[in-house]
Amino acid sequence: MFQDKVYDFAVAGAGIVGLATAFYILDQYPQASLAVLEKEKYIARHQTGRNSGVIHSGIYYRPGSFKAENTREGYKLLLDFLQRYNLPYRISGKLIVATEPDETDYLEQLYRNGRENGLENLRLLSGDQIKDYEPHIEGIAAIHVPQTGVTDYRSVSRQLAEIIRQKGGEIFLQTHVKKITPGHPAEIETEQGSLRAKNVVVAAGLYTDKLYGHSSYRIIPFRGEYYYLKSPWDRRIRSMVYPVPDPRYPFLGIHLTRHLDNRVSAGPSAVLALGREAYRKTDWDAKEIKEMLLFPGFRALAKQHAVTGLQEWCASLCKPVFAKRVRKFLPDIPTDALTGFHSGIRAQLVDREGRLVDDFVIQTRENVIYILNAPSPAATASLAIGRQVADAIV
Ligand SMILES: Cc1cc2nc3c(=O)[nH]c(=O)nc-3n(C[C@H](O)[C@H](O)[C@H](O)COP(=O)(O)OP(=O)(O)OC[C@H]3O[C@@H](n4cnc5c(N)ncnc54)[C@H](O)[C@@H]3O)c2cc1C
């Protein structure tokens, strides 16, 4: 299939991060040969095609962190890209709502954080002022973040893929990468045959750690589950409403999001998934469960966060428990106002001590760059990450 060709560049994974990287590589090296290798029949089939579709402002991330810098930069690049290619998006702003007195200190910290991260026109709101933005939401204080928006990351990915092909890049679908051996050139074994490349980028989302090989890190899959608000309940949300997140976790909590198609989703939760692509509640993968149990970091994580883990399982298995979380800020919503079901799985890097790695992580072995941790908001930040990775290739 690859006919002994030595490519200048190969990218494993056609999610938004791999595609953004290929896009910038071809921008910098227009004469180069480039292959994108994707195991699925379609691009953007996993995290990129199953996320909340939110364009994040960067309010949450520690100033100076890789996440904060790339989200700020990625936000601008993404908006330029959406405008340039006439792709759909809407900047409608969001509220982060405190419903308990013990959440207000962290809310104020987020406000300061956001300002340090360069966000302008953030507003701290009292309980009454919340009604100016979202008349049906109950809370004791909130931040209004005007920069937040929604888009469709599948459309962005399709546009990136089209540009890559126009510039001579090749996208090989149904091409599962089994092994990468760094070297000059690097050897890439796929189920469809082998190829060689002078430089390789691995952006395989939930499976990047597998291609990285033995390491002190492991990707642990966390399923985010969503329901949709039935009419007329969906009319109670104008834009987006988020809770104050628990600072111990990199997840933002169940939020309400009005999407481009005007449906309003509630989610995502953060349930330990029994397989990296276990999208349904009943899905499991025996081999992946075994690998997870053998990783000391997973056992440490389970020990430290057993109670939260069980609470997430309860919300997954019992819809009234999920609905109770939505009722925190939409008090009178009945359980049967939640309909449908949709899920996405986060690729969350965990270290051997059981710490959930918060920041983006990129590692290099010789001529292979591995994007090991690119969780939310990596869709927003994808163009900044891709540009940075392309710049790092010499
Ligand atoms: C529930 C959920 C909600 C989220 N909400 C948001 C949000 O609102 N805003 C935001 O900015 N971010 C959000 N994110 C995060 C964002 O979706 C991800 O950070 C981003 O999509 C990561 O892109 P990726 O290309 O790294 O991974 P992916 O999209 O997972 O792409 C990886 C690709 O690699 C392929 N692959 C894997 N293994 C191999 C192999 N061995 N050989 C070949 N191909 C392989 C996969 O098939 C896949 O297509 C959310 C994520 C989830 C799960």
Side-chain angles (χ1 to χ4, degrees):
M1 182 173 173
F2 301 106
Q3 295 154 349
D4 276 341
K5 186 166 169 184
V6 181
Y7 283 88
D8 294 316
F9 299 95
V11 177
I16 198 165
V17 174
L19 293 168
T21 305
F23 167 80
Y24 277 109
I25 290 174
L26 288 174
D27 195 50
Q28 289 194 21
Y29 305 93
Q31 305 305 327
S33 56
L34 177 142
V36 179
L37 310 166
E38 166 56 51
K39 72 180 170 71
E40 302 291 349
K41 251 186 182 168
Y42 312 102
I43 62 164
R45 195 133 190 219
H46 293 286
Q47 295 178 91
T48 302
R50 292 174 161 269
N51 61 29
S52 304
V54 174
I55 305 174
H56 283 290
S57 65
I59 188 169
Y60 299 103
Y61 318 116
R62 188 173 47 78
S65 64
F66 203 35
K67 252 190 188 177
E69 300 297 318
N70 278 282
T71 306
R72 185 162 51 187
E73 202 48 37
Y75 179 94
K76 287 190 223 139
L77 291 171
L78 179 63
L79 255 55
D80 285 352
F81 190 88
L82 292 165
Q83 284 158 11
R84 183 162 178 195
Y85 294 102
N86 208 12
L87 296 171
Y89 75 100
R90 187 170 61 221
I91 301 297
S92 42
K94 82 169 178 185
L95 293 182
I96 305 173
V97 178
T99 49
E100 309 288 340
D102 63 1
E103 291 174 337
T104 52
D105 280 354
Y106 191 53
L107 189 78
E108 283 166 21
Q109 193 182 315
L110 285 178
Y111 176 76
R112 289 191 295 274
N113 219 51
R115 290 178 56 137
E116 260 192 79
N117 284 339
L119 294 177
E120 289 174 2
N121 304 321
L122 294 177
R123 277 191 73 196
L124 262 179
L125 309 174
S126 65
D128 289 343
Q129 288 170 320
I130 290 175
K131 307 279 181 200
D132 297 342
Y133 293 91
E134 294 283 355
H136 297 283
I137 292 294
E138 296 292 336
I140 54 174
I143 306 173
H144 180 249
V145 188
Q147 292 83 356
T148 308
V150 280
T151 188
D152 172 10
Y153 289 109
R154 275 170 298 204
S155 308
V156 177
S157 303
R158 280 195 291 270
Q159 184 64 51
L160 285 167
E162 195 183 317
I163 299 168
I164 291 165
R165 288 191 178 107
Q166 279 165 4
K167 291 189 169 182
E170 293 172 86
I171 301 178
F172 296 95
L173 299 172
Q174 294 180 284
T175 304
H176 193 144
V177 177
K178 305 301 284 178
K179 191 177 171 199
I180 299 172
T181 311
H184 299 282
E187 300 279 342
I188 305 171
E189 287 172 37
T190 81
E191 278 177 357
Q192 277 60 43
S194 299
L195 69 149
R196 289 174 291 162
K198 293 179 191 158
N199 293 281
V200 182
V201 178
V202 182
L206 287 148
Y207 287 98
T208 299
D209 62 332
K210 292 276 211 182
L211 294 171
Y212 187 61
H214 175 75
S215 92
S216 40
Y217 294 118
R218 188 65 58 90
I219 285 170
I220 303 294
F222 286 93
R223 189 171 54 242
E225 300 179 349
Y226 300 83
Y227 293 96
Y228 290 96
L229 299 199
K230 259 188 206 163
S231 175
W233 296 96
D234 57 347
R235 282 184 230 138
R236 298 196 166 201
I237 298 298
R238 287 182 179 167
S239 181
M240 277 172 267
V241 183
Y242 280 63
V244 176
D246 182 336
R248 291 173 302 163
Y249 301 105
F251 312 126
L252 299 180
I254 290 176
H255 47 88
L256 298 166
T257 307
R258 181 170 288 281
H259 297 277
L260 288 176
D261 61 4
N262 275 324
R263 286 197 301 170
V264 175
S265 67
S269 52
V271 194
L272 177 70
L274 300 178
R276 295 179 190 226
E277 294 176 1
Y279 290 110
R280 289 172 306 183
K281 295 178 189 185
T282 49
D283 286 348
W284 53 286
D285 181 316
K287 187 166 165 263
E288 291 183 354
I289 296 172
K290 186 174 163 203
E291 283 169 359
M292 203 152 68
L293 290 171
L294 288 174
F295 178 58
F298 172 72
R299 296 197 299 273
L301 176 79
K303 216 160 137 189
Q304 289 161 39
H305 301 286
V307 174
T308 314
L310 283 172
Q311 286 166 345
E312 290 298 314
W313 272 96
C314 288
S316 170
L317 297 173
C318 181
K319 205 162 149 189
V321 178
F322 190 103
K324 201 171 157 202
R325 293 194 188 171
V326 180
R327 240 173 261 133
K328 258 185 91 173
F329 30 70
L330 248 188
D332 51 353
I333 191 156
T335 301
D336 68 5
L338 301 177
T339 181
F341 178 78
H342 153 77
S343 74
I345 298 190
R346 304 174 184 85
Q348 175 60 50
L349 204 66
V350 172
D351 69 13
R352 285 183 89 80
E353 279 70 48
R355 284 183 290 251
L356 298 154
V357 180
D358 187 45
D359 213 352
F360 298 151
V361 176
I362 298 176
Q363 302 264 331
T364 304
R365 275 193 187 139
E366 295 183 49
N367 52 343
V368 184
I369 297 177
Y370 300 84
I371 303 174
L372 262 181
N373 201 39
S376 186
T380 307
S382 54
L383 290 165
I385 298 173
R387 189 166 74 175
Q388 193 159 330
V389 172
D391 285 348
I393 298 171
V394 267

